[in-house]
């Protein structure tokens, strides 16, 4: 529960806890119709225990559920109860699990799709849910990018996977040097070396499935991540 507690404290301090929503950008985002309230990052029960810390950063927080269902504890309980057999294979969460499995199975071959969820973390570039459905506004992304460094400090990922343009833009703004080519690279992010994989969002099927195919269902990048992780024993 250490990550959960630290995350809750961070959100509370910044006014981003769903049950205590006092974010300084609340009024500006309300004008852009993205003030349905913040949703916490998901942090799996076994995150960081014996495996690389893997963090996904996606787009907006989706449906505006009741406040009590968007706390760090509630988000964990909800997602760890999901039956993978009921997921639609071409949708975001299934493809997230598939990529998480491809990466972490390099370190534990016993993992499978049904058991991968507790081993990674996932957050959003826009913390708030759009008030009336649809997508978050550019204003919300611009305002929320300032919160990514704090989440990274708390979760301290070894590997960061961005899903979609706004997540990529938010992370690239924090890099200590630009990335030249490709979607995968070792980077200096928030004070330490990490591996960054910049993927298209599964919703953008053309780009996402091209990346997936070119990497042999992510195996190429997973192998690169394994090599990278083995070079940072003092930072694990």
């Amino acid at each position: 529960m250490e990550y959960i507690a630290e995350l809750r404290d961070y959100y509370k301090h910044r006014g981003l806890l769903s049950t205590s929503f006092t974010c300084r950008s609340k009024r500006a985002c309300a004008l852009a119709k993205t003030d349905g309230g913040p949703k916490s990052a998901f942090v799996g029960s076994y995150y960081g225990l014996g495996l690389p810390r893997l963090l996904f950063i996606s787009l907006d927080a989706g449906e505006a559920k009741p406040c009590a269902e968007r706390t760090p504890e509630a988000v964990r309980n909800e997602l760890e109860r999901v039956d993978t057999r009921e997921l639609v294979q071409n949708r975001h969460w299934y493809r997230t699990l598939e990529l998480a499995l491809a990466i972490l199975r390099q370190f534990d071959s016993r993992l499978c799709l049904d058991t991968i969820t507790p081993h990674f973390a996932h957050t959003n570039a826009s913390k708030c849910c759009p008030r009336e459905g649809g997508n978050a506004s550019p204003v919300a992304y611009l305002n929320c990018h300032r919160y990514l460094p704090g989440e990274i400090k708390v979760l301290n990922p070894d590997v960061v996977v961005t899903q979609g343009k706004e997540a990529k833009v938010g992370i690239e703004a924090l890099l200590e040097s630009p990335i030249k080519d490709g979607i995968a690279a070792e980077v200096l992010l928030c004070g330490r070396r990490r591996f960054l994989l910049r993927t298209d969002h599964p919703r953008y099927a053309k780009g996402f499935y091209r990346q997936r195919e070119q990497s042999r269902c992510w195996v190429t990048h997973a192998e690169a991540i394994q090599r990278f992780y083995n070079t940072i024993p003092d930072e694990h």
Side-chain angles (χ1 to χ4, degrees):
M1 291 292 287
E2 178 182 357
Y3 292 108
I4 288 281
E6 290 186 19
L7 198 62
R8 170 180 275 275
D9 287 345
Y10 173 69
Y11 288 149
K12 187 174 181 179
H13 178 70
R14 291 303 188 100
L16 285 179
L17 196 62
S18 61
T19 52
S20 180
F21 182 29
T22 59
C23 172
R24 69 182 187 180
S25 299
K26 185 175 181 178
R27 180 171 297 181
C29 289
L31 294 175
K33 298 183 180 180
T34 310
D35 63 332
K39 179 181 179 181
S40 166
F42 162 71
V43 186
S45 300
Y46 304 142
Y47 177 76
L49 297 179
L51 294 173
R53 291 181 292 269
L54 170 62
L55 172 64
F56 288 83
I57 303 174
S58 193
L59 300 180
D60 64 52
E63 180 185 1
K65 296 183 177 181
C67 294
E69 296 179 20
R70 290 185 264 122
T71 65
E73 297 84 356
V75 172
R76 171 185 283 182
N77 290 336
E78 177 190 1
L79 291 179
E80 290 192 349
R81 289 201 306 265
V82 169
D83 187 343
T84 56
R85 295 170 297 182
E86 298 179 357
L87 293 173
V88 180
Q89 292 191 11
N90 64 349
R91 299 293 291 275
H92 169 241
W93 195 244
Y94 183 93
R95 292 307 180 194
T96 299
L97 297 180
E98 180 186 67
L99 178 48
L101 179 61
I103 293 171
L104 295 180
R105 193 156 52 185
Q106 294 291 322
F107 303 90
D108 186 347
S109 61
R110 297 169 297 178
L111 292 171
C112 65
L113 203 67
D114 292 339
T115 61
I116 193 64
T117 303
H119 296 280
F120 67 92
H122 179 283
T123 192
N124 296 290
S126 171
K127 306 309 172 193
C128 266
C129 310
R131 188 198 313 162
E132 300 172 0
N135 301 321
S137 74
V139 171
Y141 286 116
L142 184 63
N143 289 333
C144 283
H145 281 165
R146 70 169 67 97
Y147 299 123
L148 288 174
E151 289 181 310
I152 290 172
K153 180 179 180 180
V154 171
L155 298 174
N156 193 24
D158 302 299
V159 182
V160 175
V161 178
T162 60
Q163 298 179 305
K165 178 183 176 181
E166 294 294 348
K168 178 173 78 76
V169 168
I171 286 298
E172 287 183 342
L174 303 176
L175 299 181
E176 297 179 30
S177 59
I179 300 175
K180 295 181 180 180
D181 301 304
I183 67 170
E186 297 180 22
V187 298
L188 287 174
L189 172 62
C190 296
R192 58 157 289 202
R193 293 171 59 216
R194 309 179 201 270
F195 194 99
L196 176 61
L197 178 59
R198 300 167 295 169
T199 71
D200 288 321
H201 195 280
R203 190 166 56 211
Y204 175 47
K206 181 179 179 180
F208 178 82
Y209 287 104
R210 181 178 64 246
Q211 293 173 343
R212 183 174 179 269
E213 181 180 353
Q214 290 175 345
S215 62
R216 296 184 293 126
C217 292
W218 309 115
V219 171
T220 301
H221 297 313
E223 291 173 345
I225 288 169
Q226 183 183 42
R227 292 192 295 272
F228 164 76
Y229 188 72
N230 289 337
T231 69
I232 55 168
D234 58 324
E235 302 175 24
H236 290 178

